[in-house]
C-alpha cells in the first residue's frame, strides 16, 4: 500500500510477550493505526510522506509507536481526536477501538501532534503481566 501511494515506510516491531494482548487485538491495533497513518500521508505532498513504526519493551510496558506525516490539521473535542472527514458517520472509530483495547488491558494511548513539522505520533502502551515465577 505504501509503495503504491509513494509513502516512505520503515517498520521494526516485534510481537510483545508477557501481556494479555491477543494476536487478534494486536492486528486490530496495528491495522487501525496503520490505516489512519496512510490516510494522513495521502493529504501531504509525495515528497513529505512517511510512516515509521517501532516497538519497545521495558520492565512495565510494551509500546507501539507510529510516527507519520500529516497535513497539520486535527480536531479535538472533549480531549478526543475526531475525524477530519467531511462525512463523519462511520469514520473515526479506529482510534476508539485502539483506545478501548489498550484500556481494557490496563494500558493507554497517547497522541502527539507537531503542527509546525506536520508530524503525528501515536503511542500505544500495554502493560506486562506479572511473572508468575517471581
Amino acid at each position: 500500500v505504501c509503495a503504491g501511494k509513494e509513502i516512505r515506510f520503515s517498520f521494526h516491531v516485534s510481537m510483545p510477550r508477557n501481556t494479555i494482548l491477543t494476536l487478534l487485538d494486536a492486528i486490530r491495533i496495528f491495522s487501525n493505526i496503520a490505516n489512519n497513518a496512510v490516510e494522513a500521508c495521502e493529504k501531504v505532498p509525495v515528497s513529505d510522506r512517511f510512516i515509521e513504526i517501532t516497538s519497545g519493551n521495558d520492565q512495565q510496558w510494551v509500546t507501539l509507536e507510529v510516527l507519520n506525516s500529516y497535513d497539520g490539521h486535527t480536531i479535538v473535542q472533549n480531549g478526543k481526536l475526531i475525524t477530519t472527514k467531511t462525512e463523519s458517520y462511520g469514520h473515526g472509530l479506529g482510534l476508539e477501538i485502539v483506545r478501548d483495547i489498550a484500556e481494557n488491558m490496563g494500558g493507554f494511548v497517547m497522541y502527539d501532534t507537531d503542527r509546525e513539522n506536520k508530524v503525528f505520533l501515536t503511542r500505544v502502551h500495554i502493560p506486562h503481566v506479572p511473572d508468575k515465577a517471581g
Side-chain angles (χ1 to χ4, degrees), residues 42-95:
E42 290 178 301
K43 296 178 182 177
V44 301
V46 170
S47 61
D48 296 335
R49 295 177 182 178
F50 76 91
I51 299 172
E52 297 173 5
I53 304 176
T54 57
S55 66
N57 225 348
D58 66 26
Q59 289 183 339
Q60 284 189 296
W61 302 100
V62 172
T63 304
L64 176 69
E65 184 172 289
V66 180
L67 187 68
N68 60 272
S69 54
Y70 83 116
D71 64 4
H73 301 304
T74 54
I75 301 172
V76 179
Q77 290 180 352
N78 300 322
K80 293 183 181 182
L81 287 169
I82 305 297
T83 186
T84 57
K85 295 178 180 168
T86 53
E87 178 56 47
S88 62
Y89 181 77
H91 296 287
L93 302 175
L95 294 178

Side-chain angles (χ1 to χ4, degrees), residues 15-52:
M15 184 64 184
R17 297 182 188 266
N18 300 327
T19 70
I20 58 171
L21 184 67
T22 66
L23 180 58
L24 178 59
D25 282 339
I27 291 168
R28 292 173 66 207
I29 288 171
F30 182 80
S31 64
N32 278 297
I33 293 174
N35 287 338
N36 284 349
V38 167
E39 287 180 13
C41 286
E42 290 178 301
K43 296 178 182 177
V44 301
V46 170
S47 61
D48 296 335
R49 295 177 182 178
F50 76 91
I51 299 172
E52 297 173 5

Side-chain angles (χ1 to χ4, degrees), residues 105-118:
M105 293 180 197
F108 60 98
V109 180
M110 297 173 53
Y111 306 102
D112 191 20
T113 57
D114 180 342
R115 291 181 185 204
E116 183 178 331
N117 293 308
K118 297 184 177 180

